[in-house]
């Protein structure tokens, strides 16, 4: 496999073309942003941890019947993935109130939800990724009814798989964000699953082990990423 030209640079990753038809190379950066890019920084070795952690999760999800874009781990910071036609949506699944849900509904962070909540956001930086519903997505042609049903069902399936792994690691899965795309007409999970895109709290102490440490200037940011990776590796590797 040959790495070709860079096709896209996002806030946390770069995507490269390859000489393989329908396959991209994703390279994970240490760059961290928050609040739609207004806060910028670096988290040392985050790219390595997010790449390897995503691989561990993707493999486990595939075993559980969730199709993912993951093909092969290439290096510390690089994985080979299937080329997807991305839906312009972020699918957020929540088990415990935190972040924007706590704010929107006026609940305290940490309130356990009676059932998982699935939310949709329209992926558009200029608009700040607004909260939308299914009828917006249908009316704007962002996805079909079948695709929306599928991404929500897969979101809940991912939640079950992640909760089972993280419970063994002594970690609560508070919430997380997924992005899906289409390959050969089939819905496939793309992007990453990492402390950048999930809220993880220590089960005992409720200590935050995710990007909220960076967003909220809580310190020990690198340490949190390393700790999550160490615990998950112990369970899965
Ligand atoms: P929120 O509470 O800020 O809406 O975030 C919900 C989850 O989604 C949380 O686990 C962090 C993740 N997330 C992203 O991955 N990217 C984003 O741009 C935002 C806003 C949240």
């Amino acid at each position: 496999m040959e790495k070709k030209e860079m096709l896209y640079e996002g806030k946390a990753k770069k995507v490269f073309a390859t000489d393989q038809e329908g396959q991209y190379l994703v390279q994970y950066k240490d760059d961290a942003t928050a609040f739609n890019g207004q806060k910028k920084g670096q988290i040392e070795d985050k790219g390595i941890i997010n790449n390897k952690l995503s691989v561990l999760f993707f493999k486990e999800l595939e075993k559980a019947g969730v199709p993912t874009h993951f093909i092969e781990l290439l290096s510390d910071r690089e994985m080979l993935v299937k080329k997807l036609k991305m839906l312009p949506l972020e699918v957020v699944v929540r088990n415990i109130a935190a972040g924007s849900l706590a704010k929107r509904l006026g609940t305290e962070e940490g309130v356990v939800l009676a059932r998982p909540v699935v939310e949709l956001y329209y992926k558009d930086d200029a608009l700040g990724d607004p909260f939308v519903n299914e009828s917006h997505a249908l009316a704007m042609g962002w996805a079909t009814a079948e695709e929306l049903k599928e991404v929500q069902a897969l979101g809940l399936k991912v939640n079950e798989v992640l909760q089972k792994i993280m419970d063994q690691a002594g970690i609560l899965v508070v919430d997380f964000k997924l992005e899906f795309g289409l390959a050969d007409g089939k819905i496939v999970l793309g992007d990453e699953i990492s402390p950048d895109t999930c809220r993880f709290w220590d089960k005992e102490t409720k200590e935050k082990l995710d990007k909220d440490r960076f967003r909220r200037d809580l310190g020990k940011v690198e340490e949190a990423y390393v700790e999550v990776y160490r615990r998950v590796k112990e369970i899965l590797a």
Side-chain angles (χ1 to χ4, degrees):
M1 197 277 303
E2 199 187 321
K3 183 172 173 180
K4 300 260 204 179
E5 76 278 10
M6 187 172 80
L7 298 172
Y8 174 78
E9 177 160 11
K11 287 181 285 223
K13 299 187 283 299
K14 292 177 182 175
V15 179
F16 294 84
T18 71
D19 60 351
Q20 304 293 308
E21 176 68 24
Q23 300 187 359
Y24 284 164
L25 183 150
V26 177
Q27 185 180 89
Y28 284 70
K29 307 191 287 183
D30 287 348
D31 298 347
T33 63
F35 316 116
N36 200 19
Q38 287 178 68
K39 180 183 170 88
K40 287 192 177 72
Q42 291 256 317
I43 300 173
E44 202 187 334
D45 292 341
K46 170 172 88 73
I48 298 173
I49 288 174
N50 287 0
N51 183 39
K52 291 184 172 178
L53 203 48
S54 291
V55 167
L56 290 176
F57 288 139
F58 284 146
K59 283 184 174 172
E60 227 41 40
L61 287 165
E62 289 277 355
K63 280 192 220 162
V66 176
T68 79
H69 68 162
F70 173 68
I71 299 172
E72 191 189 350
L73 179 66
L74 296 173
S75 71
D76 270 3
R77 290 179 182 275
E78 296 170 325
M79 67 167 82
L80 188 65
V81 301
K82 273 186 209 130
K83 173 183 173 179
L84 302 182
K85 189 173 179 292
M86 298 307 291
L87 304 182
L89 293 171
E90 299 192 342
V91 178
V92 170
V93 181
R94 305 177 183 269
N95 300 301
I96 298 173
S100 70
L101 177 116
K103 211 169 175 180
R104 185 180 314 115
L105 302 187
T107 60
E108 220 176 289
E109 280 206 325
V111 171
V112 178
L113 302 167
R115 45 167 280 176
V117 168
V118 184
E119 298 174 342
L120 301 174
Y121 293 83
Y122 174 45
K123 204 172 152 64
D124 185 308
D125 277 343
L127 297 176
D129 299 341
F131 183 52
V132 297
N133 66 26
E134 261 188 70
S135 68
H136 292 129
L138 289 170
M140 294 300 289
W142 298 327
T144 66
E146 295 71 35
E147 288 162 359
L148 289 175
K149 207 173 145 202
E150 179 74 0
V151 299
Q152 292 178 75
L154 286 172
L156 292 172
K157 180 78 190 171
V158 172
N159 192 36
E160 282 175 24
V161 174
L162 281 186
Q163 282 191 309
K164 198 166 157 203
I165 298 165
M166 298 316 260
D167 185 60
Q168 294 172 68
I171 289 171
L172 294 170
V173 178
V174 174
D175 55 34
F176 58 88
K177 183 265 299 180
L178 303 173
E179 295 183 29
F180 293 91
L182 289 161
D184 305 320
K186 197 174 91 169
I187 289 283
V188 176
L189 177 63
D191 197 47
E192 65 178 281
I193 301 180
S194 73
D196 269 17
T197 61
C198 304
R199 285 197 174 91
F200 292 138
W201 294 356
D202 181 273
K203 205 155 73 173
E204 302 301 325
T205 65
K206 307 289 187 292
E207 188 189 0
K208 292 177 183 16
L209 298 172
D210 57 59
K211 196 169 145 189
D212 271 347
R213 300 205 72 84
F214 168 78
R215 293 189 190 99
R216 303 179 188 189
D217 296 318
L218 300 176
K220 293 195 180 172
V221 184
E222 280 84 3
E223 288 86 342
Y225 281 69
V226 169
E227 179 63 11
V228 171
Y229 181 56
R230 188 189 67 76
R231 292 200 209 176
V232 173
K233 208 170 60 171
E234 220 169 78
I235 310 286
L236 295 181

